Structure formats: C-alpha cells, structure tokens
Amino acid sequence: MTRRQRKRDIEAEIIDLSHDGRGVAKLDGKTVFISGALTGERVRAHVHTSKKHFEEGHVLEVLQASPLRVDPPCPHFELCGGCSLQHLKAEAQIEAKQHILLENFERIGHVRPATVLPPLTDQPWGYRRKARLGVKWVPAKERAIVGFREALKPMYVADIHSCRVLVPQVGERIHELSALVSSMDARERIPQIEVAAGDDATALVFRHLDALSAADTQRLIEFGQRTGLMIYLQPGGNDSVQPLWPADAALSFRIPAADVELAFRPLDFVQVNAGMNQRMIARTLDLLDPQPGERVLDLFCGLGNFTLPIARRAAQVVGVEGEAGLVARARDNARANGITNAEFFAADLSQDLRGEAWVKQGFDKLLLDPPRTGADACIPQLPLEGVRRIVYVSCHPGSLARDAGILVREHGYRLVSAGVMDMFPHTAHVESIALFER
C-alpha cells in the first residue's frame, strides 16, 4: 500500500467510543479510531496512520451529529491534547466511563459487580491542581509557547492562551507565562513548568537546563510577587527542586471530614482533583468501614491520603509506598496531625516482599491504590488469610479488571460493588473504585 493510499479522506459511521475517547468505525474489515467523533455519528475524516490491524484519523466534518454533542467551551479544544471529551455532554462522559469499566470487568476479568455504584462527580472546570506544562521557544513567532502537547502532533506544544481545566490561578495566566519566559535570557533552555496547587497556595516549578542569570531570577521573583504564585526552581532531577520565592514556600491540603492536613512538595504525587479527592476518600471510608478494633493495610499509600483518615477510625493502619521520600513525608504528616496509630514502610510493591516485616503481620482489611500497572505483582504475596474486605481504588480499568479476576478466582473474594469517579472531567481517564468481600 502506498503512502498516498494510507493517507486519505473517508466517510464513516461511528459505532462506539474507545477507551481513549476516540470514535470507533469499521471500514474494509479494519477498525478505524477517529479523534473528535462520537458514537452514532456519521463523519468525514482524514486517515493519517495505517497499521496492519487498525487505522487512525481525525474528524474533518460531522455529517450527522450525535444528540450528545456540544460545542467545546475551550477555544483550544481541537488543537490541545489536554482534553479529549469536551465535545460530549458531561453526563454522557461519565456514562461512557462507567460503560468502559463494566466492559473491562467482563472482557478482561470475567467478573461482574453485584452492584454498580452511582458515579461520583464534582466541579468539571478549574479542577486540575497538578499538571506539567511544556515550554518551547519558537524563533519564527519570537515568543515562547506554554501549554499541553498538541492533540494530533504530540511532539509540539499547543499554542494556547488559557486553560479551562487548570486551577484558575494558572489556567487564566498561560499567556502571562508565555510572556514571562519570552522575556528571559534562558528562554531556549526552559523545557517545562510544573503546576502544583494546595488549598491556600499555588506553586510553579521552572525546569531550567542551565544556571539562571541574576536578571532571570529577578524576573521570576517579580512574577511571583505580582501574581501571588510561589516560584520554585528545578536545575536537575526531582531532588533538586528548591523554593525561589518566598523562601518558606509550602503546600498543603486539608481533609476536613477526618480533621487532617497533608503537607506536600510540588513534585509529589497528589490526586489531581481536590474536590473529587474529598468525595473519593468519603466513599473509600464508607466501603472499607474501618472499625475501632481493626488493623488495616494501605498499599501504595503515598503521602497518607487514605492512611491518615483511616487511622482516625481504626485501631492500627500500616501504609506502604515505594518512594522513600513520600514515606518520610507521610510520617511527618502523621506526627503533624497527632496520629500515633499509623506506621509507614518503604517497599517496592512490584518486587519480592518476603523479607518485609509488615507482610508477616495480620490485617482485617486492605486498601489498594496502585499505579496504572495495577497490583497483580503484590496480591499473591499478601497476608490475605484474615482480610475480610478489600477496597481497590484504580486509575486504569484494565488493570483493575485483571486484578479483580485474580481476587475472585484465586483468593476467594466476590466483587460486591464498583463504580467510576470523574477525577479527570473532559478526558478519557477512568478512575474507579471496587469493593471485594470474602
């Protein structure tokens, strides 16, 4: 097949929505994934990539629109890759995610929840408190571009002037960040800006490949003073991050229902959606139902986002996390909140755990909150004999479905309930939660 034949325009009926938010069509025996298309639509599309078993393209024209289609509120939606579902009604987005979760349970895990939990939703705009913005100096435009990657050409930074999903303190200042970097001597040597927002302050971390001039340092300080944004510098790896202005910069967020406040550093992992995090913690505690006499194991615990609220209710909770820095800050957070019944350990949960002291302890309940790869490596090594209840918080429906099959078929649990939580509105990301009982 020639290059000319591979890249072509087609008309197609969209029969489904893929896990990454693209329309799915069938053409000449091949699956075609079409960005910007919705289920039930007829579209004219440009095919830009052809593989052996599938093709990829993007919408040129919607010939017959879905009744669920809406005008994207963001003027950069078609260019920017930060969102993929702004053209779909909000209620339909969460329904699509619930469908993906249930389909993964059946297709991958060969299990089905006895009860489907109602979806959890929160504010759909201005929610994103963690992000990494790309930065690129473009000589032809004589300015630096700041934004997410382009949707169709991810090797490029999208030229945007605002972002509706970022916290407004930053989302409404993209053009100001572009002007700031453009004014700097190091404008060609700043590849990214990390965004991290706590309850009371928002930080920007400027990655710079060379030492900054005194003039650039002063420009950053003045920008922070004018906007109220905390400024950090990152000359090297994650451990090199240091505050520039103010010198005592600090970030934290509160969990009022548990009377807990968690301090964190700008590059630490925290849940991206502050409002949804509160709802997710409440649902997790409701499903796990920790009791005063129980011991709970919290794996992939991070800063203690779940561990410390659990500790307010249980007799003892043990948190385990692979990143030693997060474990140290989890211990600090426990001390700062006066919590003495939480213990933390650093361990790579994808490796052999037989030498870990905590594995030999007995637990009544278990919380799992793994990365996208899931928990299949650690599940067979866990002391599950006395664990009556497991709550699994997932950021990837495929790994959750696989692990659900393992828990049900190999360890004697049943999948009691499951449902989605809209952690990333307007994207195809599926966050979910599941309850397992003996």
Side-chain angles (χ1 to χ4, degrees), residues 187-245:
R187 57 182 177 264
E188 297 181 55
R189 303 294 287 166
I190 297 177
Q192 68 190 40
I193 302 171
E194 196 94 14
V195 179
D199 286 351
D200 304 316
T202 300
L204 298 177
V205 182
F206 288 80
R207 176 79 174 96
H208 54 99
L209 302 179
D210 298 321
L212 296 181
S213 66
D216 279 353
T217 300
Q218 187 59 32
R219 290 184 181 103
L220 290 173
I221 291 173
E222 290 174 357
F223 182 80
Q225 291 172 335
R226 178 172 62 82
T227 61
L229 296 168
M230 298 191 304
I231 307 298
Y232 286 73
L233 299 181
Q234 184 186 359
N238 289 2
D239 293 339
S240 71
V241 174
Q242 295 294 332
L244 174 65
W245 183 88

Side-chain angles (χ1 to χ4, degrees), residues 64-374:
Q64 181 180 337
S66 163
L68 301 176
R69 177 176 284 274
V70 296
D71 291 330
C74 176
H76 307 298
F77 171 66
E78 292 186 359
L79 172 68
C80 178
C83 297
S84 58
L85 292 176
Q86 282 192 25
H87 58 313
L88 181 61
K89 284 184 177 180
E91 58 269 27
Q93 291 182 29
I94 196 68
E95 288 175 6
K97 294 177 183 184
Q98 193 88 294
H99 170 75
I100 289 171
L101 174 64
L102 298 176
E103 188 272 337
N104 273 260
F105 274 134
E106 294 200 11
R107 179 175 56 86
I108 298 174
H110 307 292
V111 293
R112 184 181 299 178
T115 300
V116 177
L117 298 169
L120 285 184
T121 59
D122 200 73
Q123 294 296 327
W125 303 107
Y127 68 83
R128 187 161 183 172
R129 63 176 173 180
K130 286 278 289 181
R132 177 173 294 169
L133 300 174
V135 180
K136 180 67 177 178
W137 169 254
V138 182
K141 296 186 177 183
E142 296 187 336
R143 63 184 175 88
I145 295 174
V146 178
F148 294 105
R149 297 289 166 176
E150 288 190 9
L152 298 179
K153 297 178 179 179
M155 70 287 294
Y156 297 114
V157 177
D159 191 357
I160 64 177
H161 60 75
S162 63
C163 176
R164 290 286 306 276
V165 298
L166 275 177
V167 290
Q169 305 93 296
V170 179
E172 295 174 0
R173 288 194 168 101
I174 300 296
H175 62 293
E176 294 180 53
L177 286 171
S178 172
L180 170 64
V181 176
S182 298
S183 72
M184 295 175 65
D185 301 327
R187 57 182 177 264
E188 297 181 55
R189 303 294 287 166
I190 297 177
Q192 68 190 40
I193 302 171
E194 196 94 14
V195 179
D199 286 351
D200 304 316
T202 300
L204 298 177
V205 182
F206 288 80
R207 176 79 174 96
H208 54 99
L209 302 179
D210 298 321
L212 296 181
S213 66
D216 279 353
T217 300
Q218 187 59 32
R219 290 184 181 103
L220 290 173
I221 291 173
E222 290 174 357
F223 182 80
Q225 291 172 335
R226 178 172 62 82
T227 61
L229 296 168
M230 298 191 304
I231 307 298
Y232 286 73
L233 299 181
Q234 184 186 359
N238 289 2
D239 293 339
S240 71
V241 174
Q242 295 294 332
L244 174 65
W245 183 88
D248 59 351
L251 295 167
S252 67
F253 64 90
R254 291 176 288 277
I255 306 172
D259 190 25
V260 163
E261 183 170 4
L262 297 181
F264 67 99
R265 295 182 182 177
L267 300 192
D268 284 346
F269 173 81
V270 298
Q271 295 293 345
V272 74
N273 188 324
M276 180 52 60
N277 187 49
Q278 301 289 341
R279 293 175 179 268
M280 179 175 68
I281 291 170
R283 173 160 285 183
T284 299
L285 291 174
D286 181 57
L287 295 176
L288 192 64
D289 192 26
Q291 296 298 309
E294 292 179 333
R295 287 174 47 79
V296 179
L297 178 62
D298 177 11
L299 298 186
F300 311 94
C301 69
L303 293 161
N305 188 56
F306 294 111
T307 325
L308 300 187
I310 291 170
R312 293 293 195 201
R313 302 191 184 190
Q316 183 78 20
V317 58
V318 171
V320 184
E321 163 63 41
E323 188 178 332
L326 289 178
V327 172
R329 288 186 280 287
R331 290 171 179 153
D332 291 342
N333 281 324
R335 282 192 293 269
N337 286 278
I339 293 174
T340 59
N341 61 332
E343 194 174 6
F344 294 93
F345 296 89
D348 185 343
L349 292 166
S350 67
Q351 301 301 313
D352 187 345
L353 302 174
R354 285 175 294 184
E356 301 292 335
W358 56 267
V359 174
K360 301 174 176 64
Q361 301 176 21
F363 297 95
D364 301 293
K365 291 175 179 175
L366 167 66
L367 175 63
L368 296 167
D369 183 17
R372 291 175 60 86
T373 50

Side-chain angles (χ1 to χ4, degrees), residues 384-402:
L384 295 177
E385 295 78 10
V387 176
R388 304 186 304 276
R389 180 173 294 190
I390 299 173
V391 171
Y392 192 131
V393 176
S394 168
C395 61
H396 191 278
S399 58
L400 169 59
R402 177 202 63 209

